[in-house]
Amino acid sequence: MISDPYFYLIAFPAVLLTGISKGGFGGALGVVGVPLMALVISPMQAAAIMLPVLCAMDFFGMRAYLGKWDVANLKIIVPGALIGIVLGTVTFGAFSENVIRMAVGVITVAFVLDNLLKDSRKDARAGRSRLRGTFWSGVSGFTSFLAHSGGPPIMVYLMPQRLDKVVFVGTVNAFFLLTNAFKVVAYAGLGQLSTGNLATSLLLAPAVPLGVWLGLHLQRKVDQVWFYRIAQGGLLLTGLLLIVQGLGR
């Protein structure tokens, strides 16, 4: 178990911010936990510590969004995520985490900038697509497994649909509840869930319900337009953070 107080000075705010993002804005900034913790511990250990924390966030988020998800989308994206996780498990250790972060960061920034530069009408919405949904959820499962960076790819697929904000967050939460459950099995099989890491995750657990509650509270304060503006802003910051993280090591 980690006993360094400097780790917890960074880890608690990181978990709190992740909870706010996942609880209220579909995880637009949910990727920050591992990079922040990686300032004081190894990225692999940070990822192993964050996985049980993310599962706890999914549980609390699911209680708030129970039944408020898009079933048709989930039928498309959950199988795609499983394919990505299997691919990540088979290729574990073959790809640099920083290469994955860089790739996801570039895709994310390009997606947000493309949306900002488009002269599209406000009422223009993308529909569901089995091809696009399977592709982006597969990318999400793969990058989530290797670097806990699965949020941006799945948002690339879901955000253009302009779902109701509650349905959007509920769908993302349900997706990651199942995705992270699959990851737990894979991580355990690869020996990544040590008792020391699990004990550290347990110490961080009190920040989970507080973060999710704050996210829910903030989401209720903004309307649909501002929700997507905030989500896109968070997504852009996430992409930039991933690029910096990829270049930094």
Side-chain angles (χ1 to χ4, degrees), residues 27-31 99-116 136 139-140 143 148-157 159-160 230-244:
L29 271 174
V31 75
V99 170
I100 297 296
R101 289 192 179 102
M102 177 69 71
V104 175
V106 170
I107 290 170
T108 301
V109 171
F111 167 72
V112 175
L113 292 179
D114 179 61
N115 275 351
L116 292 175
W136 285 113
V139 173
S140 177
T143 58
H148 288 334
S149 303
I154 199 60
M155 292 180 79
V156 168
Y157 169 66
M159 283 186 71
I230 292 170
Q232 287 220 85
L235 201 57
L236 179 60
L237 287 175
T238 293
L240 293 173
L241 180 62
L242 287 168
I243 291 172
V244 170

Side-chain angles (χ1 to χ4, degrees), residues 12 18 20 28 39 46-47 53 88 122 130 145 154 160-161 188-189 195 205-206 215 220 226 235 246:
F12 273 105
T18 303
I20 291 171
L39 295 173
V53 173
K122 294 290 184 181
R130 185 165 296 278
F145 179 84
I154 199 60
Q161 297 182 34
T195 54
R220 290 165 182 157
W226 273 101
L235 201 57

Side-chain angles (χ1 to χ4, degrees), residues 15 18 33-34 37 45-55 148 201:
V15 171
T18 303
V34 171
M37 289 185 191
Q45 187 178 16
I49 289 169
M50 274 300 292
L51 181 55
V53 173
L54 292 172
C55 290
H148 288 334
S201 302

Side-chain angles (χ1 to χ4, degrees), residues 167-210:
V167 174
F168 174 82
V169 179
T171 303
V172 172
N173 278 348
F175 172 75
F176 278 111
L177 176 71
L178 296 170
T179 299
N180 286 329
F182 296 144
K183 283 163 59 180
V184 166
V185 176
Y187 268 53
L190 292 169
Q192 297 297 309
L193 299 180
S194 68
T195 54
N197 286 340
L198 290 172
T200 302
S201 302
L202 188 61
L203 284 178
L204 296 172
V208 170
L210 177 59

